[in-house]
Amino acid sequence: MRIGNATLPDGTTADVEVEDGTITAVGDLGGEYDVDATGKLLFPGAIDAHVHFRQPGYGHKETWETGSQSAAAGGVTTVVDQPNTSPPTTTGDAFDQKAAFADQSIVDWGINGGVTEDWDPESLFARPLFALGEVFLADSTGDMGIEADLFAEAVELAGQHDVTVTVHAEDADLFDESATERDDADAWSAYRAAEAEAAAVERACEVGAEFETDIHIAHTSTPEGVDAAAAAGATCEVTPHHLFLSRDDLPELGTFGRMNPPLRSEERREAVFERVADGTVDIVATDHAPHTREEKDASIWDAPSGVPGVETMVPLLLEEARKGTLSYERVRDLVAANPAAIFDLPEKGRIQEGMDADLALYDTDEPRAIRGEDLHSNCGWTPFEGKQGVFPEWTMLRGEVVWDAEDGFGEAAGQNVRE
């Protein structure tokens, strides 16, 4: 298969040849081609290093089938699932159970192992883990928080097995208990104070350095947290919701804007965006955490935390590139090249000879409004309702089209990237 006259993220025009799932040539190849990509952007498939596809245990929120379809429709070809399912992915048996559900995925996948008081590291590390995460003293999920000694033990064991630890960095000791007397939409952000993030980042990085274990900070939401990670030599991610939404949006979002970490001030959001643009932030990942409308339609203290995002990440970032606030190369690095490098996926993340033919084709002249009813997650809503995004015409996994805007989805062909 040959894709002709495509515009690549660096602005050059090239033909791309694909054989047996691999990119075999890139350049001015001449001759005939199967796909005319003149005037369109050919992008490497994105890697979302932080999703919650909810199975096993919570398939009414999302399934591996619907979650992976949502990913493919947004140009994402690899996802990494987090451990807070039921049962949590803290044992080898639980890993195997989740992997059986992941066989329904139409995109490639990895599974993060979790750490609890009753985890089984011997059986867990015997499995092809992507990483440990999201792990820390603070608790993003209701039942996955751990004490300092256990965190240190997990980091030490991960280092011995050459496994990265993905950290949820909030120090619950610094939460503002006075905010619990409020019931407005901003109370959650007031409660989980911004100061709690940088302190936890620093502590996590100190433990990582002690055991020479790679630390990756999940969903960094403050400029102070980003800077603390960078100063310590850790990698970090920022989510689209922390990049494009702030506490100013909470009057409209209500409890649909509750997540962990919470939305921050507009001033902090702008500062985080600056760090995404200038290269301080390593990657963008979604923390795709869907809940049903009925579940989110509760009080600020009873609504579950989390928002969907796997389908809208790349479209939102490409719209920023289209407007000129980010370059297309920077978007490529944030969602493809850097995640591949950080998490040791040498055959993914770039359009080069020898790489997996994970590709997506975009017409950057045709952005459209994001509507929850048009997306493919089980939950059926989005916090980005009405914002503009550039969506793919088609998405390809190892040379096979898994999403076509006209013809729909392909077959489940996703594989564990660690096998």
Side-chain angles (χ1 to χ4, degrees):
M1 176 185 183
R2 183 171 293 183
I3 303 165
N5 303 317
T7 301
L8 303 185
D10 64 2
T12 62
T13 301
D15 307 324
V16 177
E17 189 170 73
V18 174
E19 292 183 10
D20 298 325
T22 301
I23 297 173
T24 54
V26 179
D28 184 3
L29 304 180
E32 298 181 355
Y33 41 82
D34 303 284
V35 176
D36 183 3
T38 300
K40 296 180 181 179
L41 177 68
L42 188 65
F43 222 68
I47 300 164
D48 189 344
H50 193 144
V51 305
H52 299 264
F53 278 178
R54 301 303 192 196
Q55 284 181 308
Y58 308 106
H60 67 285
K61 301 174 189 280
E62 192 76 283
T63 68
W64 275 89
E65 180 180 14
T66 59
S68 66
Q69 288 177 344
S70 192
V76 173
T77 54
T78 301
V79 297
V80 181
D81 194 71
Q82 303 302 320
N84 61 319
T85 43
S86 182
T89 317
T90 57
T91 68
D93 287 345
F95 179 97
D96 295 342
Q97 186 175 351
K98 179 173 284 188
F101 283 103
D103 283 340
Q104 303 168 18
S105 177
I106 67 170
V107 300
D108 281 352
W109 50 271
I111 292 176
N112 276 1
V115 182
T116 59
E117 294 293 336
D118 58 352
W119 75 314
D120 182 2
E122 183 176 350
S123 68
L124 197 56
F125 283 116
R127 300 308 195 272
L129 284 181
F130 190 87
L132 282 185
E134 51 188 277
V135 180
F136 203 48
L137 310 178
D139 185 358
S140 69
T141 65
D143 59 2
M144 299 291 288
I146 59 174
E147 299 299 325
D149 289 346
L150 183 53
F151 177 74
E153 174 191 331
V155 171
E156 181 178 16
L157 288 172
Q160 292 172 0
H161 289 85
D162 195 25
V163 170
T164 298
V165 180
T166 297
V167 178
H168 181 116
E170 287 183 286
D171 185 343
D173 290 339
L174 297 178
F175 289 175
D176 183 357
E177 294 295 333
S178 69
T180 61
E181 300 176 5
R182 297 164 45 182
D183 61 3
D184 57 288
D186 188 60
W188 192 251
S189 290
Y191 169 58
R192 298 180 79 115
E195 292 74 18
E197 182 170 86
V201 171
E202 291 170 0
R203 289 167 58 196
C205 292
E206 288 172 0
V207 177
E210 178 181 356
F211 296 109
E212 298 182 346
T213 300
D214 290 336
I215 298 293
H216 176 74
I217 307 299
H219 43 47
T220 323
S221 63
T222 66
E224 298 90 342
V226 171
D227 291 346
T235 58
C236 76
E237 70 191 42
V238 166
T239 71
H241 44 273
H242 293 122
L243 194 56
F244 296 111
L245 302 172
S246 73
R247 293 171 77 167
D248 289 357
D249 295 292
L250 287 170
E252 180 178 355
L253 288 170
T255 56
F256 288 80
R258 174 179 149 164
M259 73 282 291
N260 303 331
L263 294 179
R264 305 302 188 185
S265 68
E266 178 63 16
E267 181 181 13
R268 280 194 164 97
R269 185 204 68 79
E270 291 175 352
V272 168
F273 193 102
E274 290 173 0
R275 285 157 174 78
V276 167
D278 70 17
T280 307
V281 171
D282 298 283
I283 69 172
V284 173
T286 65
D287 191 12
H288 173 83
H291 302 281
T292 66
R293 288 182 178 273
E294 291 75 18
E295 290 168 331
K296 293 290 276 188
D297 189 15
S299 76
I300 193 62
W301 301 107
D302 294 329
S305 292
V307 297
V310 71
E311 190 167 344
T312 49
M313 173 179 71
V314 179
L316 284 165
L317 290 169
L318 289 181
E319 174 63 7
E320 292 301 309
R322 193 183 73 85
K323 294 188 300 185
T325 54
L326 294 173
S327 71
Y328 289 110
E329 287 183 284
R330 181 67 183 134
V331 176
R332 175 204 62 200
D333 290 346
L334 287 164
V335 301
N338 288 355
I342 290 167
F343 294 108
D344 192 25
L345 301 174
E347 296 178 346
K348 295 186 181 295
R350 290 186 179 273
I351 301 176
Q352 295 176 350
E353 184 178 344
M355 307 292 277
D356 285 351
D358 298 350
L359 303 167
L361 187 68
Y362 299 84
D363 186 342
T364 57
D365 292 330
E366 294 292 337
R368 64 177 173 84
I370 296 171
R371 304 294 182 197
E373 63 185 10
D374 297 330
L375 304 178
H376 298 86
S377 170
N378 245 8
C379 71
W381 62 275
T382 173
F384 306 110
E385 187 78 22
K387 292 186 179 295
Q388 293 288 109
V390 179
F391 288 82
E393 294 186 358
W394 52 254
T395 303
M396 176 183 293
L397 177 69
R398 293 190 304 280
E400 297 294 331
V401 174
V402 293
W403 160 251
D404 186 291
E406 294 184 357
D407 297 331
F409 297 104
E411 299 296 321
Q415 300 176 6
N416 185 346
V417 295
R418 288 293 189 241
E419 290 185 327

